[in-house]
Amino acid sequence: MHAGERAHAPESAAALNKRLQDGPGSLAVVGGGLTGIELATELAESHPEWTVRLHSAGDIGEGLSARGRDHVRTVLGARGVRIEEGRRVAHADELDADAVVWAASMTPNSELAADAGLALDPSGRIAVDDALRSSSHPEVYVAGDAAAAGSRRAGTLRMACATAIPTGAHAAASVIAESRGREPRPLDFRFFAQCVSLGRHDGLIQPVHADDTPHPRVLTGRPAALTKEQVVRSTVRFLSVVSRRSRRHSPPA
């Protein structure tokens, strides 16, 4: 990422907020996926005194339907965001901007697993079986973005909140099953929708097939924004429920 204090990622969100408050300038968001789209619209709406650009190596929102992509482009245009597609940005210092926000493709942080001898798949994630056990060390369960997980209906799962939470819950259930002498069940997962925030008053709900390919229809506007907000809020509630359920089903000491 480079570019010193100009470049920002989730770890430097507080520094980015301070820079935005210090005064207007130019801001470049790198990454045309859902995270980059959300960041560009949110930042342009909350800081209209800044000029915002969205950079993407390919088309923005490639996983969305034609209607979904059209709506995203319309909202970005209304917020004054300039879209620059077809250029791969490897380092923040390649861009002429006062601040750069990095939201490019996710990469697994699996160095520790590799050093420990766990087998990785070609993408760099930890290779697992259908119960989320390491393929080389079946006594180790792997969940979330680090796992190269998949299911019969969805295929290989992408790295996302939508997959991290279900795989985490499944790994916990598998550990409990094994501790009770039962064979863990294979992961049964399918995608339902992609939810995108486009500022405080707009959003996009993209229904998808089980394998994450988009349906042509979409939900947009304020109803979509409210739906996205509830999805975010429900994540915390879901984690609380899973935690209580795990404690309830834990074997006695």
Side-chain angles (χ1 to χ4, degrees):
M1 186 167 56
H2 302 307
E5 296 181 355
R6 286 196 307 122
H8 298 278
E11 296 79 10
S12 60
L16 172 62
N17 181 62
K18 182 180 183 306
R19 177 64 188 90
L20 292 171
Q21 300 299 332
D22 284 345
S26 60
L27 183 147
V29 177
V30 179
L34 303 187
T35 302
I37 290 169
E38 287 191 334
L39 278 168
T41 51
E42 293 276 358
L43 290 170
E45 181 181 277
S46 58
H47 298 278
E49 70 279 10
W50 281 72
T51 60
V52 179
R53 305 194 312 268
L54 176 59
H55 295 264
S56 179
D59 294 336
I60 61 168
E62 287 183 335
L64 302 172
S65 65
R67 289 181 180 177
R69 290 193 300 272
D70 287 346
H71 184 69
V72 166
R73 289 179 179 277
T74 297
V75 174
L76 287 169
R79 300 288 186 275
V81 178
R82 192 174 80 198
I83 300 170
E84 297 191 9
E85 298 167 299
R87 175 192 171 190
R88 182 176 180 82
V89 178
H91 306 289
D93 49 17
E94 298 176 17
L95 300 173
D96 180 15
D98 297 309
V100 178
V101 183
W102 204 262
S105 298
M106 297 174 65
T107 56
N109 186 2
S110 53
E111 292 182 7
L112 179 62
D115 291 343
L118 273 66
L120 306 183
D121 82 334
S123 72
R125 294 196 283 175
I126 302 170
V128 296
D129 64 12
D130 58 9
L132 301 183
R133 294 172 292 204
S134 163
S135 61
S136 60
H137 295 72
E139 71 278 11
V140 177
Y141 282 86
V142 189
D145 294 335
S151 71
R152 179 181 57 82
R153 294 191 289 174
T156 302
L157 306 188
R158 58 182 167 88
M159 300 169 70
C161 171
T163 55
I165 292 177
T167 56
H170 186 82
S174 295
V175 170
I176 292 170
E178 189 172 36
S179 71
R180 295 179 176 177
R182 300 195 303 267
E183 179 65 18
R185 295 180 179 180
L187 176 67
D188 183 17
F189 176 87
R190 60 149 297 162
F191 290 98
F192 290 96
Q194 297 178 17
C195 303
V196 190
S197 173
L198 299 174
R200 297 297 82 201
H201 305 289
D202 207 333
L204 172 68
I205 306 301
Q206 173 68 73
V208 297
H209 297 282
D211 63 354
D212 207 29
T213 55
H215 286 284
R217 66 182 185 276
V218 295
L219 175 67
T220 63
R222 184 60 178 163
L226 290 173
T227 301
K228 169 69 175 183
E229 183 176 340
Q230 289 305 311
V231 168
V232 173
R233 291 180 181 276
S234 67
T235 299
V236 176
R237 293 194 293 267
F238 176 80
L239 291 173
S240 177
V241 169
V242 170
S243 176
R244 291 197 300 270
R245 183 178 298 175
S246 298
R247 291 195 297 270
R248 187 165 62 246
H249 292 289
S250 297

mmCIF file of all heavy atoms in Angstrom, residues 1-10 12-13 15-16 19-20 25-31 39 43 50-53 55 89-104:
data_model
loop_
_atom_site.group_PDB
_atom_site.id
_atom_site.type_symbol
_atom_site.label_atom_id
_atom_site.label_comp_id
_atom_site.label_asym_id
_atom_site.label_seq_id
_atom_site.Cartn_x
_atom_site.Cartn_y
_atom_site.Cartn_z
ATOM 1 N N MET A 1 0.839 -1.203 0.000
ATOM 2 C CA MET A 1 0.000 0.000 0.000
ATOM 3 C C MET A 1 0.876 1.255 0.000
ATOM 4 O O MET A 1 0.688 2.146 -0.807
ATOM 5 C CB MET A 1 -0.938 -0.007 1.195
ATOM 6 C CG MET A 1 -1.942 1.105 1.212
ATOM 7 S SD MET A 1 -3.238 0.838 2.423
ATOM 8 C CE MET A 1 -2.356 0.621 3.945
ATOM 9 N N HIS A 2 1.885 1.346 0.913
ATOM 10 C CA HIS A 2 2.872 2.434 0.926
ATOM 11 C C HIS A 2 2.236 3.835 1.080
ATOM 12 O O HIS A 2 1.149 3.987 1.571
ATOM 13 C CB HIS A 2 3.753 2.373 -0.317
ATOM 14 C CG HIS A 2 4.476 1.086 -0.458
ATOM 15 N ND1 HIS A 2 5.249 0.546 0.538
ATOM 16 C CD2 HIS A 2 4.532 0.204 -1.494
ATOM 17 C CE1 HIS A 2 5.764 -0.600 0.138
ATOM 18 N NE2 HIS A 2 5.339 -0.838 -1.076
ATOM 19 N N ALA A 3 2.950 4.834 0.618
ATOM 20 C CA ALA A 3 2.543 6.242 0.611
ATOM 21 C C ALA A 3 2.403 6.838 2.009
ATOM 22 O O ALA A 3 1.774 7.865 2.192
ATOM 23 C CB ALA A 3 1.263 6.458 -0.170
ATOM 24 N N GLY A 4 3.017 6.211 3.004
ATOM 25 C CA GLY A 4 3.101 6.794 4.338
ATOM 26 C C GLY A 4 1.769 7.200 4.924
ATOM 27 O O GLY A 4 0.814 6.425 4.932
ATOM 28 N N GLU A 5 1.698 8.441 5.416
ATOM 29 C CA GLU A 5 0.520 8.892 6.141
ATOM 30 C C GLU A 5 -0.673 9.154 5.217
ATOM 31 O O GLU A 5 -1.778 9.381 5.698
ATOM 32 C CB GLU A 5 0.867 10.162 6.920
ATOM 33 C CG GLU A 5 1.915 9.936 8.011
ATOM 34 C CD GLU A 5 2.227 11.195 8.768
ATOM 35 O OE1 GLU A 5 1.704 12.262 8.380
ATOM 36 O OE2 GLU A 5 2.989 11.118 9.755
ATOM 37 N N ARG A 6 -0.472 9.170 3.910
ATOM 38 C CA ARG A 6 -1.588 9.402 2.991
ATOM 39 C C ARG A 6 -2.478 8.169 2.850
ATOM 40 O O ARG A 6 -3.640 8.284 2.485
ATOM 41 C CB ARG A 6 -1.071 9.774 1.596
ATOM 42 C CG ARG A 6 -0.508 11.170 1.490
ATOM 43 C CD ARG A 6 -0.397 11.593 0.028
ATOM 44 N NE ARG A 6 0.338 10.628 -0.754
ATOM 45 C CZ ARG A 6 -0.152 9.998 -1.826
ATOM 46 N NH1 ARG A 6 -1.392 10.216 -2.221
ATOM 47 N NH2 ARG A 6 0.593 9.148 -2.515
ATOM 48 N N ALA A 7 -1.918 6.977 3.075
ATOM 49 C CA ALA A 7 -2.645 5.728 2.823
ATOM 50 C C ALA A 7 -3.327 5.244 4.092
ATOM 51 O O ALA A 7 -2.758 5.294 5.190
ATOM 52 C CB ALA A 7 -1.680 4.670 2.308
ATOM 53 N N HIS A 8 -4.558 4.775 3.917
ATOM 54 C CA HIS A 8 -5.335 4.336 5.075
ATOM 55 C C HIS A 8 -6.034 3.014 4.795
ATOM 56 O O HIS A 8 -6.463 2.738 3.676
ATOM 57 C CB HIS A 8 -6.374 5.393 5.447
ATOM 58 C CG HIS A 8 -5.778 6.705 5.847
ATOM 59 N ND1 HIS A 8 -5.300 6.949 7.120
ATOM 60 C CD2 HIS A 8 -5.557 7.848 5.139
ATOM 61 C CE1 HIS A 8 -4.826 8.177 7.175
ATOM 62 N NE2 HIS A 8 -4.965 8.738 5.988
ATOM 63 N N ALA A 9 -6.117 2.198 5.834
ATOM 64 C CA ALA A 9 -6.815 0.917 5.831
ATOM 65 C C ALA A 9 -7.632 0.868 7.120
ATOM 66 O O ALA A 9 -7.621 1.829 7.899
ATOM 67 C CB ALA A 9 -5.800 -0.225 5.754
ATOM 68 N N PRO A 10 -8.373 -0.220 7.371
ATOM 69 C CA PRO A 10 -9.167 -0.272 8.603
ATOM 70 C C PRO A 10 -8.376 0.023 9.875
ATOM 71 O O PRO A 10 -8.892 0.623 10.814
ATOM 72 C CB PRO A 10 -9.705 -1.707 8.605
ATOM 73 C CG PRO A 10 -9.808 -2.061 7.163
ATOM 74 C CD PRO A 10 -8.635 -1.395 6.514
ATOM 75 N N SER A 12 -6.139 2.163 10.351
ATOM 76 C CA SER A 12 -5.848 3.585 10.547
ATOM 77 C C SER A 12 -7.098 4.446 10.358
ATOM 78 O O SER A 12 -7.008 5.586 9.915
ATOM 79 C CB SER A 12 -4.746 4.034 9.577
ATOM 80 O OG SER A 12 -5.135 3.833 8.231
ATOM 81 N N ALA A 13 -8.256 3.887 10.690
ATOM 82 C CA ALA A 13 -9.519 4.609 10.502
ATOM 83 C C ALA A 13 -9.547 5.898 11.324
ATOM 84 O O ALA A 13 -10.058 6.929 10.859
ATOM 85 C CB ALA A 13 -10.697 3.721 10.878
ATOM 86 N N ALA A 15 -7.016 7.809 12.146
ATOM 87 C CA ALA A 15 -6.162 8.796 11.481
ATOM 88 C C ALA A 15 -6.845 9.359 10.239
ATOM 89 O O ALA A 15 -6.735 10.557 9.940
ATOM 90 C CB ALA A 15 -4.823 8.159 11.108
ATOM 91 N N LEU A 16 -7.556 8.497 9.507
ATOM 92 C CA LEU A 16 -8.294 8.974 8.338
ATOM 93 C C LEU A 16 -9.374 9.958 8.753
ATOM 94 O O LEU A 16 -9.551 11.015 8.111
ATOM 95 C CB LEU A 16 -8.924 7.795 7.596
ATOM 96 C CG LEU A 16 -9.889 8.161 6.458
ATOM 97 C CD1 LEU A 16 -9.169 8.943 5.368
ATOM 98 C CD2 LEU A 16 -10.542 6.909 5.880
ATOM 99 N N ARG A 19 -7.834 13.243 9.420
ATOM 100 C CA ARG A 19 -7.424 13.927 8.185
ATOM 101 C C ARG A 19 -8.624 14.534 7.480
ATOM 102 O O ARG A 19 -8.553 15.653 6.959
ATOM 103 C CB ARG A 19 -6.724 12.929 7.252
ATOM 104 C CG ARG A 19 -6.318 13.533 5.903
ATOM 105 C CD ARG A 19 -5.285 14.610 6.078
ATOM 106 N NE ARG A 19 -5.006 15.340 4.845
ATOM 107 C CZ ARG A 19 -5.651 16.433 4.444
ATOM 108 N NH1 ARG A 19 -6.635 16.936 5.202
ATOM 109 N NH2 ARG A 19 -5.342 17.044 3.328
ATOM 110 N N LEU A 20 -9.740 13.841 7.475
ATOM 111 C CA LEU A 20 -10.950 14.358 6.831
ATOM 112 C C LEU A 20 -11.462 15.592 7.550
ATOM 113 O O LEU A 20 -11.975 16.532 6.919
ATOM 114 C CB LEU A 20 -12.028 13.277 6.796
ATOM 115 C CG LEU A 20 -11.757 12.072 5.888
ATOM 116 C CD1 LEU A 20 -12.791 10.982 6.127
ATOM 117 C CD2 LEU A 20 -11.745 12.480 4.421
ATOM 118 N N GLY A 25 -9.877 18.249 0.574
ATOM 119 C CA GLY A 25 -8.808 17.804 -0.305
ATOM 120 C C GLY A 25 -9.339 16.768 -1.260
ATOM 121 O O GLY A 25 -10.555 16.650 -1.471
ATOM 122 N N SER A 26 -8.433 15.992 -1.832
ATOM 123 C CA SER A 26 -8.823 14.927 -2.753
ATOM 124 C C SER A 26 -8.601 13.572 -2.096
ATOM 125 O O SER A 26 -7.588 13.356 -1.421
ATOM 126 C CB SER A 26 -8.013 15.023 -4.053
ATOM 127 O OG SER A 26 -6.630 14.910 -3.783
ATOM 128 N N LEU A 27 -9.551 12.677 -2.311
ATOM 129 C CA LEU A 27 -9.486 11.358 -1.691
ATOM 130 C C LEU A 27 -9.705 10.294 -2.758
ATOM 131 O O LEU A 27 -10.626 10.399 -3.575
ATOM 132 C CB LEU A 27 -10.546 11.241 -0.589
ATOM 133 C CG LEU A 27 -10.585 9.933 0.216
ATOM 134 C CD1 LEU A 27 -11.008 10.213 1.649
ATOM 135 C CD2 LEU A 27 -11.571 8.925 -0.406
ATOM 136 N N ALA A 28 -8.867 9.265 -2.755
ATOM 137 C CA ALA A 28 -8.988 8.171 -3.703
ATOM 138 C C ALA A 28 -9.280 6.881 -2.958
ATOM 139 O O ALA A 28 -8.571 6.534 -2.007
ATOM 140 C CB ALA A 28 -7.711 8.023 -4.518
ATOM 141 N N VAL A 29 -10.332 6.187 -3.358
ATOM 142 C CA VAL A 29 -10.658 4.867 -2.817
ATOM 143 C C VAL A 29 -10.211 3.835 -3.842
ATOM 144 O O VAL A 29 -10.589 3.900 -5.012
ATOM 145 C CB VAL A 29 -12.166 4.727 -2.547
ATOM 146 C CG1 VAL A 29 -12.484 3.311 -2.048
ATOM 147 C CG2 VAL A 29 -12.628 5.763 -1.529
ATOM 148 N N VAL A 30 -9.411 2.874 -3.406
ATOM 149 C CA VAL A 30 -8.898 1.844 -4.308
ATOM 150 C C VAL A 30 -9.662 0.551 -4.059
ATOM 151 O O VAL A 30 -9.642 0.005 -2.959
ATOM 152 C CB VAL A 30 -7.389 1.619 -4.089
ATOM 153 C CG1 VAL A 30 -6.877 0.523 -5.035
ATOM 154 C CG2 VAL A 30 -6.622 2.902 -4.300
ATOM 155 N N GLY A 31 -10.349 0.083 -5.098
ATOM 156 C CA GLY A 31 -11.111 -1.163 -4.988
ATOM 157 C C GLY A 31 -12.544 -0.966 -5.434
ATOM 158 O O GLY A 31 -13.286 -0.205 -4.803
ATOM 159 N N LEU A 39 -17.468 2.570 0.788
ATOM 160 C CA LEU A 39 -16.597 3.628 1.296
ATOM 161 C C LEU A 39 -16.720 4.908 0.471
ATOM 162 O O LEU A 39 -16.832 6.014 1.026
ATOM 163 C CB LEU A 39 -15.144 3.147 1.279
ATOM 164 C CG LEU A 39 -14.701 2.276 2.447
ATOM 165 C CD1 LEU A 39 -13.348 1.634 2.155
ATOM 166 C CD2 LEU A 39 -14.618 3.104 3.731
ATOM 167 N N LEU A 43 -18.172 8.228 2.208
ATOM 168 C CA LEU A 43 -17.255 9.343 2.403
ATOM 169 C C LEU A 43 -17.681 10.572 1.610
ATOM 170 O O LEU A 43 -17.587 11.704 2.093
ATOM 171 C CB LEU A 43 -15.839 8.918 2.005
ATOM 172 C CG LEU A 43 -15.172 7.906 2.940
ATOM 173 C CD1 LEU A 43 -13.881 7.366 2.326
ATOM 174 C CD2 LEU A 43 -14.889 8.533 4.305
ATOM 175 N N TRP A 50 -14.864 17.279 0.128
ATOM 176 C CA TRP A 50 -13.769 16.522 -0.463
ATOM 177 C C TRP A 50 -14.160 16.034 -1.859
ATOM 178 O O TRP A 50 -15.323 15.732 -2.117
ATOM 179 C CB TRP A 50 -13.431 15.302 0.398
ATOM 180 C CG TRP A 50 -12.601 15.622 1.607
ATOM 181 C CD1 TRP A 50 -13.006 16.274 2.732
ATOM 182 C CD2 TRP A 50 -11.224 15.306 1.792
ATOM 183 N NE1 TRP A 50 -11.982 16.385 3.623
ATOM 184 C CE2 TRP A 50 -10.859 15.795 3.074
ATOM 185 C CE3 TRP A 50 -10.266 14.657 1.022
ATOM 186 C CZ2 TRP A 50 -9.575 15.647 3.584
ATOM 187 C CZ3 TRP A 50 -8.983 14.505 1.520
ATOM 188 C CH2 TRP A 50 -8.644 15.002 2.788
ATOM 189 N N THR A 51 -13.185 15.965 -2.753
ATOM 190 C CA THR A 51 -13.413 15.321 -4.047
ATOM 191 C C THR A 51 -13.002 13.854 -3.919
ATOM 192 O O THR A 51 -11.926 13.550 -3.380
ATOM 193 C CB THR A 51 -12.588 15.991 -5.156
ATOM 194 O OG1 THR A 51 -11.194 15.892 -4.847
ATOM 195 C CG2 THR A 51 -12.977 17.447 -5.312
ATOM 196 N N VAL A 52 -13.872 12.973 -4.379
ATOM 197 C CA VAL A 52 -13.667 11.531 -4.176
ATOM 198 C C VAL A 52 -13.593 10.822 -5.519
ATOM 199 O O VAL A 52 -14.420 11.056 -6.405
ATOM 200 C CB VAL A 52 -14.814 10.933 -3.327
ATOM 201 C CG1 VAL A 52 -14.608 9.426 -3.130
ATOM 202 C CG2 VAL A 52 -14.902 11.627 -1.969
ATOM 203 N N ARG A 53 -12.599 9.952 -5.664
ATOM 204 C CA ARG A 53 -12.460 9.091 -6.829
ATOM 205 C C ARG A 53 -12.514 7.641 -6.385
ATOM 206 O O ARG A 53 -12.055 7.297 -5.288
ATOM 207 C CB ARG A 53 -11.133 9.336 -7.559
ATOM 208 C CG ARG A 53 -10.885 10.762 -7.962
ATOM 209 C CD ARG A 53 -9.734 10.871 -8.965
ATOM 210 N NE ARG A 53 -8.543 10.142 -8.589
ATOM 211 C CZ ARG A 53 -7.524 10.676 -7.879
ATOM 212 N NH1 ARG A 53 -7.633 11.927 -7.443
ATOM 213 N NH2 ARG A 53 -6.456 9.971 -7.615
ATOM 214 N N HIS A 55 -11.257 3.950 -7.740
ATOM 215 C CA HIS A 55 -10.403 3.259 -8.707
ATOM 216 C C HIS A 55 -10.682 1.754 -8.674
ATOM 217 O O HIS A 55 -10.772 1.154 -7.600
ATOM 218 C CB HIS A 55 -8.928 3.489 -8.382
ATOM 219 C CG HIS A 55 -8.495 4.911 -8.530
ATOM 220 N ND1 HIS A 55 -7.888 5.385 -9.670
ATOM 221 C CD2 HIS A 55 -8.588 5.969 -7.683
ATOM 222 C CE1 HIS A 55 -7.615 6.672 -9.521
ATOM 223 N NE2 HIS A 55 -8.028 7.054 -8.319
ATOM 224 N N VAL A 89 -4.108 -0.546 -9.520
ATOM 225 C CA VAL A 89 -3.265 0.271 -8.652
ATOM 226 C C VAL A 89 -2.583 -0.652 -7.655
ATOM 227 O O VAL A 89 -3.241 -1.316 -6.846
ATOM 228 C CB VAL A 89 -4.092 1.340 -7.911
ATOM 229 C CG1 VAL A 89 -3.189 2.144 -6.980
ATOM 230 C CG2 VAL A 89 -4.807 2.250 -8.896
ATOM 231 N N ALA A 90 -1.263 -0.720 -7.729
ATOM 232 C CA ALA A 90 -0.513 -1.612 -6.848
ATOM 233 C C ALA A 90 -0.088 -0.926 -5.554
ATOM 234 O O ALA A 90 0.033 -1.576 -4.511
ATOM 235 C CB ALA A 90 0.709 -2.163 -7.578
ATOM 236 N N HIS A 91 0.141 0.377 -5.614
ATOM 237 C CA HIS A 91 0.629 1.111 -4.450
ATOM 238 C C HIS A 91 -0.075 2.468 -4.370
ATOM 239 O O HIS A 91 -0.366 3.085 -5.393
ATOM 240 C CB HIS A 91 2.141 1.321 -4.511
ATOM 241 C CG HIS A 91 2.919 0.060 -4.703
ATOM 242 N ND1 HIS A 91 3.050 -0.882 -3.721
ATOM 243 C CD2 HIS A 91 3.595 -0.404 -5.783
ATOM 244 C CE1 HIS A 91 3.783 -1.881 -4.178
ATOM 245 N NE2 HIS A 91 4.118 -1.619 -5.430
ATOM 246 N N ALA A 92 -0.286 2.911 -3.163
ATOM 247 C CA ALA A 92 -0.955 4.202 -2.963
ATOM 248 C C ALA A 92 -0.148 5.355 -3.532
ATOM 249 O O ALA A 92 -0.715 6.378 -3.936
ATOM 250 C CB ALA A 92 -1.218 4.418 -1.475
ATOM 251 N N ASP A 93 1.181 5.199 -3.591
ATOM 252 C CA ASP A 93 1.988 6.309 -4.089
ATOM 253 C C ASP A 93 1.877 6.482 -5.603
ATOM 254 O O ASP A 93 2.469 7.393 -6.164
ATOM 255 C CB ASP A 93 3.454 6.152 -3.668
ATOM 256 C CG ASP A 93 4.016 4.776 -3.942
ATOM 257 O OD1 ASP A 93 3.396 4.047 -4.735
ATOM 258 O OD2 ASP A 93 5.068 4.432 -3.372
ATOM 259 N N GLU A 94 1.100 5.610 -6.272
ATOM 260 C CA GLU A 94 0.838 5.787 -7.698
ATOM 261 C C GLU A 94 -0.251 6.830 -7.950
ATOM 262 O O GLU A 94 -0.452 7.258 -9.092
ATOM 263 C CB GLU A 94 0.404 4.465 -8.333
ATOM 264 C CG GLU A 94 1.454 3.357 -8.278
ATOM 265 C CD GLU A 94 0.917 2.056 -8.843
ATOM 266 O OE1 GLU A 94 -0.119 2.084 -9.555
ATOM 267 O OE2 GLU A 94 1.519 1.004 -8.578
ATOM 268 N N LEU A 95 -0.962 7.224 -6.900
ATOM 269 C CA LEU A 95 -2.114 8.107 -7.048
ATOM 270 C C LEU A 95 -1.819 9.514 -6.551
ATOM 271 O O LEU A 95 -1.167 9.698 -5.513
ATOM 272 C CB LEU A 95 -3.312 7.533 -6.284
ATOM 273 C CG LEU A 95 -3.785 6.151 -6.731
ATOM 274 C CD1 LEU A 95 -4.861 5.644 -5.786
ATOM 275 C CD2 LEU A 95 -4.298 6.188 -8.161
ATOM 276 N N ASP A 96 -2.332 10.474 -7.274
ATOM 277 C CA ASP A 96 -2.217 11.881 -6.873
ATOM 278 C C ASP A 96 -3.456 12.236 -6.064
ATOM 279 O O ASP A 96 -4.503 12.591 -6.611
ATOM 280 C CB ASP A 96 -2.100 12.760 -8.117
ATOM 281 C CG ASP A 96 -1.971 14.237 -7.753
ATOM 282 O OD1 ASP A 96 -1.683 14.526 -6.572
ATOM 283 O OD2 ASP A 96 -2.183 15.091 -8.648
ATOM 284 N N ALA A 97 -3.355 12.102 -4.761
ATOM 285 C CA ALA A 97 -4.483 12.376 -3.865
ATOM 286 C C ALA A 97 -3.945 12.730 -2.493
ATOM 287 O O ALA A 97 -2.867 12.281 -2.098
ATOM 288 C CB ALA A 97 -5.412 11.162 -3.771
ATOM 289 N N ASP A 98 -4.710 13.533 -1.761
ATOM 290 C CA ASP A 98 -4.314 13.908 -0.408
ATOM 291 C C ASP A 98 -4.486 12.755 0.575
ATOM 292 O O ASP A 98 -3.792 12.692 1.595
ATOM 293 C CB ASP A 98 -5.134 15.109 0.070
ATOM 294 C CG ASP A 98 -4.869 16.346 -0.779
ATOM 295 O OD1 ASP A 98 -3.692 16.683 -0.968
ATOM 296 O OD2 ASP A 98 -5.848 16.955 -1.261
ATOM 297 N N ALA A 99 -5.425 11.866 0.284
ATOM 298 C CA ALA A 99 -5.642 10.690 1.117
ATOM 299 C C ALA A 99 -6.065 9.529 0.223
ATOM 300 O O ALA A 99 -6.794 9.719 -0.749
ATOM 301 C CB ALA A 99 -6.715 10.952 2.177
ATOM 302 N N VAL A 100 -5.584 8.344 0.552
ATOM 303 C CA VAL A 100 -5.914 7.129 -0.202
ATOM 304 C C VAL A 100 -6.477 6.107 0.770
ATOM 305 O O VAL A 100 -5.867 5.827 1.809
ATOM 306 C CB VAL A 100 -4.671 6.552 -0.913
ATOM 307 C CG1 VAL A 100 -5.026 5.272 -1.658
ATOM 308 C CG2 VAL A 100 -4.054 7.576 -1.862
ATOM 309 N N VAL A 101 -7.639 5.570 0.454
ATOM 310 C CA VAL A 101 -8.271 4.540 1.278
ATOM 311 C C VAL A 101 -8.198 3.224 0.525
ATOM 312 O O VAL A 101 -8.708 3.121 -0.596
ATOM 313 C CB VAL A 101 -9.733 4.898 1.612
ATOM 314 C CG1 VAL A 101 -10.327 3.848 2.527
ATOM 315 C CG2 VAL A 101 -9.813 6.269 2.263
ATOM 316 N N TRP A 102 -7.584 2.223 1.134
ATOM 317 C CA TRP A 102 -7.325 0.955 0.461
ATOM 318 C C TRP A 102 -8.457 -0.031 0.754
ATOM 319 O O TRP A 102 -8.693 -0.423 1.887
ATOM 320 C CB TRP A 102 -5.996 0.371 0.929
ATOM 321 C CG TRP A 102 -5.397 -0.568 -0.075
ATOM 322 C CD1 TRP A 102 -5.468 -1.926 -0.067
ATOM 323 C CD2 TRP A 102 -4.646 -0.205 -1.241
ATOM 324 N NE1 TRP A 102 -4.812 -2.427 -1.164
ATOM 325 C CE2 TRP A 102 -4.298 -1.406 -1.893
ATOM 326 C CE3 TRP A 102 -4.256 1.012 -1.785
ATOM 327 C CZ2 TRP A 102 -3.553 -1.420 -3.076
ATOM 328 C CZ3 TRP A 102 -3.520 1.000 -2.953
ATOM 329 C CH2 TRP A 102 -3.169 -0.200 -3.589
ATOM 330 N N ALA A 103 -9.170 -0.421 -0.315
ATOM 331 C CA ALA A 103 -10.262 -1.399 -0.184
ATOM 332 C C ALA A 103 -10.180 -2.400 -1.320
ATOM 333 O O ALA A 103 -11.193 -2.851 -1.842
ATOM 334 C CB ALA A 103 -11.612 -0.681 -0.200
ATOM 335 N N ALA A 104 -8.953 -2.741 -1.706
ATOM 336 C CA ALA A 104 -8.743 -3.674 -2.812
ATOM 337 C C ALA A 104 -8.987 -5.104 -2.344
ATOM 338 O O ALA A 104 -9.371 -5.338 -1.193
ATOM 339 C CB ALA A 104 -7.335 -3.510 -3.367
#
